[in-house]
Amino acid sequence: MSGKKYSRPHQVRSYECDQTQKMTLPMLLNILMEVSGEQSRLLERGEEDMMKRGLGWIILQYTMDIQRMPRMGETVEVETQAVQYNKIFTYRHFTVYDKQGKTLVKVQTTFAAIDLEKRKMARITEDLIAPYEAPFEKRLVRVAKPEPVDDDHAHTTPYRVRFFDIDSNRHVNNSRYVDWTLDALGQDFLTTHEMTHANIKFDKEVLYGQMIDSVCSVREEHGTVVTSHRIQREGTTHCAAHFYWKKMEE
């Protein structure tokens, strides 16, 4: 049995969309985190409540299946619930519906609690999760790793971590990593392809002022375009991802 559900409508704004008038993936992730944050505040487990405990929530991985991205001006319903937890991780699902109730996007996420002083993951206690009513499951949920970059056919784009890339948890907001991965594909690709699946895994923090490299490779497999990505710094991987795409209809 899963935990409490929470949902609210969201009208897609023009500044949340790209030039194809569809919501960008980084913006969608920000909206999902906003909705889960609202539920947490209502359950007295929001950012301020967590900070009083010396803790914060961090996201370790997203997996997503996308029928289509929300469109500019459209009102969608965003639903979320914590589905289970163990001593290390908690798992939360999101679903985005159109106004007819059709599923547009389904997302599975893996969260962890971080000790804000030690900058290390903290144990997840029953008291921390109790308001969500998510069940405890000792067994870990196995989530596939992103498909690796083909380094023989990859290209690299450098970026600098800016002040406004850092969020209130004092680390780079997870949507910024997605910005860096997707931007490296370029305008011609992004305006002619639609994403159908995503797998994004966060490994290590990057800090203000540091330079990172966005490495990506592209291949086609059984009619599906697959892009693999790695955000790295000095040989260390900080984020890995892969995305499946289909060509946009004319």
Side-chain angles (χ1 to χ4, degrees):
M1 183 176 180
S2 298
K4 289 182 178 178
K5 289 185 178 181
Y6 177 79
S7 67
R8 72 156 170 83
H10 177 79
Q11 185 177 24
V12 182
R13 310 297 185 184
S14 59
Y15 56 80
E16 297 170 343
C17 299
D18 61 20
Q19 59 188 274
T20 70
Q21 299 190 348
K22 298 184 183 73
M23 181 180 275
T24 68
L25 182 57
M27 279 294 181
L28 176 61
L29 298 181
N30 286 334
I31 298 303
L32 300 184
M33 292 305 100
E34 183 179 281
V35 172
S36 67
E38 288 176 4
Q39 183 188 37
S40 293
R41 285 192 292 275
L42 290 172
L43 298 176
E44 298 184 349
R45 291 298 182 270
E47 187 174 322
E48 290 186 6
D49 303 287
M50 292 290 285
M51 289 181 70
K52 290 176 183 177
R53 298 167 177 258
L55 301 174
W57 291 116
I58 59 170
I59 299 168
L60 301 179
Q61 191 163 2
Y62 292 104
T63 58
M64 312 177 64
D65 289 307
I66 304 164
Q67 297 301 312
R68 69 168 175 84
M69 294 295 283
R71 302 186 181 101
M72 186 173 68
E74 182 178 18
T75 297
V76 297
E77 189 76 15
V78 182
E79 179 184 87
T80 187
Q81 67 178 149
V83 293
Q84 69 180 72
Y85 77 101
N86 51 57
K87 293 179 181 180
I88 305 172
F89 307 120
T90 181
Y91 306 96
R92 178 182 283 274
H93 289 179
F94 296 87
T95 309
V96 181
Y97 302 95
D98 68 10
K99 64 181 181 181
Q100 284 79 37
K102 183 179 179 180
T103 298
L104 302 183
V105 185
K106 292 185 73 68
V107 184
Q108 299 180 24
T109 57
T110 304
F111 280 78
I114 184 173
D115 185 308
L116 295 175
E117 182 177 351
K118 297 179 181 178
R119 307 305 295 172
K120 294 182 179 180
M121 285 197 299
R123 180 175 175 176
I124 296 177
T125 61
E126 181 179 356
D127 170 68
L128 197 61
I129 297 299
Y132 298 96
E133 298 182 4
F136 176 83
E137 297 286 347
K138 186 176 181 180
R139 181 178 298 178
L140 302 182
V141 175
R142 300 296 179 185
V143 184
K145 294 180 180 180
E147 299 176 26
V149 172
D150 178 357
D151 286 304
D152 292 332
H153 299 90
H155 70 270
T156 299
T157 307
Y159 296 90
R160 182 179 65 85
V161 182
R162 305 163 302 173
F163 175 81
F164 294 109
D165 295 329
I166 309 297
D167 65 18
S168 57
N169 279 334
R170 296 180 294 167
H171 60 71
V172 173
N173 187 280
N174 67 84
S175 68
R176 297 303 189 195
Y177 292 88
V178 181
D179 269 329
W180 294 328
T181 61
L182 296 178
D183 183 66
L185 292 170
Q187 177 176 293
D188 289 346
F189 183 94
L190 294 172
T191 55
T192 56
H193 292 78
E194 292 181 297
M195 188 183 299
T196 61
H197 175 78
N199 186 335
I200 309 162
K201 186 175 184 294
F202 305 97
D203 293 310
K204 296 180 183 295
E205 294 180 298
V206 292
L207 304 175
Y208 169 70
Q210 292 180 335
M211 292 297 300
I212 60 95
D213 289 321
S214 178
V215 185
C216 70
S217 61
V218 183
R219 74 177 195 277
E220 189 165 342
E221 186 176 282
H222 306 301
T224 296
V225 177
V226 182
T227 63
S228 296
H229 304 259
R230 186 172 67 243
I231 301 299
Q232 66 181 31
R233 180 176 181 272
E234 297 179 350
T236 297
T237 298
H238 293 261
C239 174
H242 75 244
F243 305 98
Y244 294 171
W245 308 80
K246 64 179 181 181
K247 291 188 178 180
M248 291 185 187
E249 297 180 359
E250 297 290 340

